[in-house]
Amino acid sequence: TSITSAKIQVNGVHLHYQQTGEGSHAVLLLPGMLGSGQTDFGPQLKSMNKQLFTIVAWDPRGYGQSIPPSRDFPPDFFERDAKDAVDLMQALKFKKFSLLGWSDGGITALIAAAKYPTLIHKLVVWGANASVTQEDVRIYNGIRDVSKWSEKVKKPLEEMYGHKYFAQTCEAWVDGISRFAEKSDGNICQQLLPDIKCPTFIIHGEKDPLVPQAHAEYIHKHIKGSR
């Protein structure tokens, strides 16, 4: 089945999404920092089972083709993304759906699953964290300057955004996510994890250069019955 690409107005912004498959199980794919449905989930859009699943990949506001507006990082940007994501799926007339989120999209998915439990069927997250430590801030500052990124990672994002928007948005992201570390517990969504009731699968790469493994272990420990 082909992949359709469209925009729909949600919460005052025009969100871009791609959709494919005709299965009864709806799944939303949530990209990471600076990512879009196409850059982060090209292989899944192509290869996931189209008979079992209806697959939607979205570009959060300010990312991918969901510009304008330009991306910003107010203190509640993860909650805003979670509401946008859920409202997008409801605007597309899905009554219940699963979430597959990676990195920032994983954090967004955790918040959505906790806050909208009746809408979320199952949850898979990878490379996600529920808090920000001083060590994390040090790691984030290491990626602040995009000119130091590897060509492989940098090229698709530069092609999508142009150098200026890409560089400025990355810096703004580092500042935005580092602000969580100013709280005593560095909390992003730790208090919400016990509210997640749907079946949850946590994946983590042992060599993840951006998210230390302790974050995945914390999430697993605080979501009852997660694997």
Side-chain angles (χ1 to χ4, degrees), residues 45-168:
L45 283 163
K46 208 170 108 199
S47 307
M48 274 179 78
N49 187 318
K50 311 280 171 98
Q51 279 71 51
L52 283 180
F53 302 110
T54 297
I55 302 135
V56 178
W58 81 310
D59 299 357
R61 63 170 75 196
Y63 285 160
Q65 294 181 53
S66 294
I67 305 170
S70 293
R71 181 72 181 182
D72 63 348
F73 299 94
D76 67 343
F77 73 90
F78 283 117
E79 277 86 359
R80 182 180 67 182
D81 282 351
K83 184 168 172 22
D84 282 349
V86 166
D87 291 351
L88 167 76
M89 291 300 276
Q90 292 203 291
L92 295 176
K93 303 283 187 275
F94 294 108
K95 290 190 169 55
K96 201 161 184 171
F97 46 92
S98 293
L99 302 172
L100 272 69
W102 102 269
S103 187
D104 273 17
I107 300 172
T108 301
L110 291 168
I111 294 170
K115 285 192 158 182
Y116 310 96
T118 58
L119 301 175
I120 310 307
H121 183 43
K122 293 182 177 182
L123 173 66
V124 183
V125 297
W126 58 107
N129 48 301
S131 66
V132 177
T133 66
Q134 290 304 327
E135 165 69 2
D136 294 328
V137 173
R138 191 186 62 73
I139 296 171
Y140 300 149
N141 277 307
I143 65 158
R144 178 185 288 276
D145 180 359
V146 298
S147 68
K148 295 179 180 155
W149 287 29
S150 77
E151 219 28 62
K152 184 182 166 212
V153 180
K154 188 167 63 175
K155 195 167 177 249
L157 292 167
E158 273 192 336
E159 282 171 1
M160 183 162 62
Y161 293 120
H163 178 75
K164 190 181 170 193
Y165 188 89
F166 169 43
Q168 285 175 344

Side-chain angles (χ1 to χ4, degrees), residues 8-38:
I8 189 166
Q9 189 165 349
V10 176
N11 299 327
V13 294
H14 289 91
L15 294 175
H16 176 261
Y17 68 95
Q18 290 164 286
Q19 185 173 329
T20 186
E22 60 251 347
S24 58
H25 189 157
V27 176
L28 177 65
L29 310 176
L30 298 95
M33 173 264 269
L34 281 161
S36 68
Q38 190 55 47

